[in-house]
Amino acid sequence: MAVRSTPEPVSQTPSHPRISLIVPTLNEATRIGTFLDCVQAMRERDVEVVLVDGGSSDDTCEQVKTRVDLLIQTAPGRGAQMRAGAARASGEILWFVHVDSQLPPNADQFVRQSINDRVIAWGYFNVRLHPTGWLLRCVEVAMNARVQLSNVATGDQGIFVTRTLYEKVGGMPDISLMEDVKLSKRLRDVVKPIRISESITTSSRRWRQHGVLRTIAKMWWLRFLYFIGVPPSRLARYYRPSP
């Protein structure tokens, strides 16, 4: 099911392509308002906000109906949700962002400037964790360094991609886990990513709730299992995101 609200699409030009901001949600009633507060000004700059809900049992969908441009309801699964959002979005640039991220006020302008009329291009932002401490600051630095070395970004970093390139690589993988990693690898095989040095601030609740070192070990273990060929559907049973 899809619900579209104002503003209506406006014409796109090569120098001012429409951006579709695609946000997957599931029971995010306590966080969705804060996120939408920071993107309303972007809507006035021709950023289409597409929210894809995976069957929330709270009032997430009720809160967003007048504050997004397109509301889609699907079965749960982040990869499948983002794929559905991209299929319905109208933008020439697709921008995938998590709801627990805080975007810089002019983040959409950075995206447009970095693409700079290129048809085949993609990129990501640096990430900053909040709240933080010395150990989480080390995690943050390591995350940003790893992406620069590997050219494999994660969902926390706000991956953006031109529609032409997105379709060229087959779109968002419809898998249960590691969809961002698989998409990044497909994209980097075509062209090197653009790194925006401005940071997206993302919640550190996952690390703080379960322990920083324990969470790091778990994430690297999942990455290793994925690398050696363990199916994402099996990995998803080991991964339990924080509520």
Side-chain angles (χ1 to χ4, degrees):
M1 182 181 75
V3 178
R4 185 176 288 277
S5 63
T6 56
E8 290 297 322
V10 300
S11 61
Q12 302 175 29
T13 64
S15 60
H16 190 82
R18 161 163 279 204
I19 296 173
S20 290
L21 176 62
I22 300 167
V23 187
T25 59
L26 181 62
N27 294 327
E28 296 288 0
T30 61
R31 286 184 283 267
I32 190 65
T34 300
F35 177 84
L36 291 177
D37 285 344
C38 79
V39 301
Q40 293 309 299
M42 297 183 191
R43 294 177 72 197
E44 298 177 5
R45 297 191 292 266
D46 198 23
V47 174
E48 176 189 48
V49 178
V50 180
L51 189 138
V52 191
D53 189 74
S56 293
S57 57
D58 60 15
D59 67 344
T60 296
C61 293
E62 292 301 317
Q63 289 191 46
V64 307
K65 282 184 177 178
T66 61
R67 307 185 70 197
V68 301
D69 300 290
L70 184 61
L71 170 61
I72 303 170
Q73 293 176 293
T74 70
R78 185 175 284 170
Q81 287 173 243
M82 291 189 288
R83 187 178 181 91
R88 297 293 304 273
S90 64
E92 296 174 345
I93 300 172
L94 305 174
W95 185 15
F96 302 97
V97 177
H98 293 174
V99 74
D100 60 356
S101 297
Q102 181 179 346
L103 303 175
N106 53 350
D108 57 313
Q109 295 170 322
F110 286 123
V111 170
R112 281 198 179 96
Q113 291 167 7
S114 68
I115 294 293
N116 193 26
D117 294 346
R118 283 175 283 189
V119 175
I120 301 294
W122 73 286
Y124 63 90
F125 288 75
N126 275 347
V127 69
R128 177 177 292 275
L129 300 176
H130 178 80
T132 191
W134 72 268
L135 189 52
L136 283 171
R137 186 66 71 200
C138 292
V139 171
E140 173 188 303
V141 170
M143 287 173 65
N144 290 326
R146 174 185 56 77
V147 179
Q148 281 190 262
L149 290 172
S150 67
N151 290 328
V152 176
T154 63
D156 289 329
Q157 293 171 295
I159 297 171
F160 56 90
V161 56
T162 60
R163 182 177 290 278
T164 299
L165 176 56
Y166 176 83
E167 294 176 351
K168 180 181 177 70
V169 302
M172 180 67 68
D174 186 2
I175 55 179
S176 304
L177 198 67
M178 302 290 179
E179 72 288 333
D180 47 1
V181 172
K182 188 168 184 177
L183 176 64
S184 290
K185 288 182 176 180
R186 288 176 176 177
L187 296 172
R188 75 172 184 184
D189 288 345
V190 179
V191 64
K192 185 176 179 180
I194 302 158
R195 180 179 68 89
I196 296 179
S197 59
E198 292 289 328
S199 295
I200 287 179
T201 301
T202 193
S203 172
S204 61
R205 70 185 189 279
R206 180 175 60 196
W207 287 273
R208 296 173 69 87
Q209 181 175 347
H210 300 293
V212 176
L213 296 179
R214 181 180 177 185
T215 301
I216 293 171
K218 180 179 180 180
M219 297 308 296
W220 277 105
W221 177 241
L222 289 170
R223 284 177 179 272
F224 172 73
L225 293 176
Y226 176 72
F227 176 76
I228 64 174
V230 177
S233 57
R234 184 177 174 187
L235 296 180
R237 295 198 292 268
Y238 304 141
Y239 177 73
R240 293 294 182 268
S242 301

